[in-house]
Amino acid sequence: MPDEYTAVEYFKKGLSWVPVEGYVRLTPLGQQYVFHELIKQGLSADNLKALGFKPEMVDRQFLIRDLDRMVFDGVDTELMCPNCGRKGEYRNAVNPATHRKTSWDCWWRVGCPSCKTRLKHAFPTQQEAKTAWENGQLDQQPKETR
């Protein structure tokens, strides 16, 4: 490192030295390269903020990533995961009244197969589960408990 201050900053942020050749838009401390590598490893926005990256930059980069995905995958925002931005899936859940998970009386939960985020509670209809998921209310309780 050129000086002690730079070395300490690298150490505190968990960064290693990265050569300038071969990387696009590399910041002086190599943060952008490290940031994108951590995203590829599957770290969430909250994890990156906890590592010390600026919250505004993290949010902006995740929005850019989500918009890029929309361009390639189409602008389908239905069941988009609030954590990683990928498409969630409906999953059958146990009906609290009958304690069964058969196709005609099951309740519904939405989860992301990529980052394993899911709703905490199940809902009697897919629409209620979808609304809670898309509003990011993962801890929301169902309105009725048939």
Side-chain angles (χ1 to χ4, degrees), residues 84-98:
C84 71
R86 297 198 178 167
K87 188 170 177 88
E89 296 176 343
Y90 289 109
R91 298 177 179 172
N92 292 346
V94 175
N95 183 329
T98 62

Side-chain angles (χ1 to χ4, degrees), residues 52-84:
F53 288 100
K54 293 179 183 174
E56 300 84 28
M57 182 195 66
V58 172
D59 293 336
R60 182 171 175 241
Q61 290 298 323
F62 271 79
L63 284 172
I64 290 170
R65 184 201 61 184
D66 293 342
L67 288 172
D68 286 344
R69 283 187 183 152
M70 285 181 195
V71 169
F72 291 112
D73 298 338
V75 189
D76 181 17
T77 58
E78 185 174 345
L79 294 181
M80 187 162 69
C81 178
N83 188 27
C84 71

Side-chain angles (χ1 to χ4, degrees), residues 21-145:
E21 297 83 25
Y23 301 115
V24 179
R25 296 183 302 165
L26 187 65
T27 61
L29 291 177
Q31 287 183 349
Q32 186 165 3
Y33 173 76
V34 173
F35 179 81
H36 289 296
E37 285 299 310
L38 293 173
I39 288 177
K40 287 179 188 175
Q41 292 175 10
L43 268 68
S44 68
D46 293 333
N47 293 343
L48 291 169
K49 290 174 187 175
L51 286 175
F53 288 100
K54 293 179 183 174
E56 300 84 28
M57 182 195 66
V58 172
D59 293 336
R60 182 171 175 241
Q61 290 298 323
F62 271 79
L63 284 172
I64 290 170
R65 184 201 61 184
D66 293 342
L67 288 172
D68 286 344
R69 283 187 183 152
M70 285 181 195
V71 169
F72 291 112
D73 298 338
V75 189
D76 181 17
T77 58
E78 185 174 345
L79 294 181
M80 187 162 69
C81 178
N83 188 27
C84 71
R86 297 198 178 167
K87 188 170 177 88
E89 296 176 343
Y90 289 109
R91 298 177 179 172
N92 292 346
V94 175
N95 183 329
T98 62
H99 302 290
R100 289 186 288 196
K101 195 172 18 175
T102 56
S103 61
W104 55 274
D105 72 344
C106 71
W107 279 35
W108 296 95
R109 178 177 279 143
V110 179
C112 178
S114 177
C115 69
K116 308 299 183 213
T117 302
R118 68 183 183 108
L119 291 174
K120 185 175 181 181
H121 302 285
F123 293 86
T125 65
Q126 284 186 347
Q127 184 60 35
E128 288 181 56
K130 175 184 173 185
T131 303
W133 178 259
E134 290 181 345
N135 292 335
Q137 299 169 337
L138 303 178
D139 292 336
Q140 179 179 333
Q141 297 251 355
K143 291 183 176 96
E144 59 180 86
T145 56

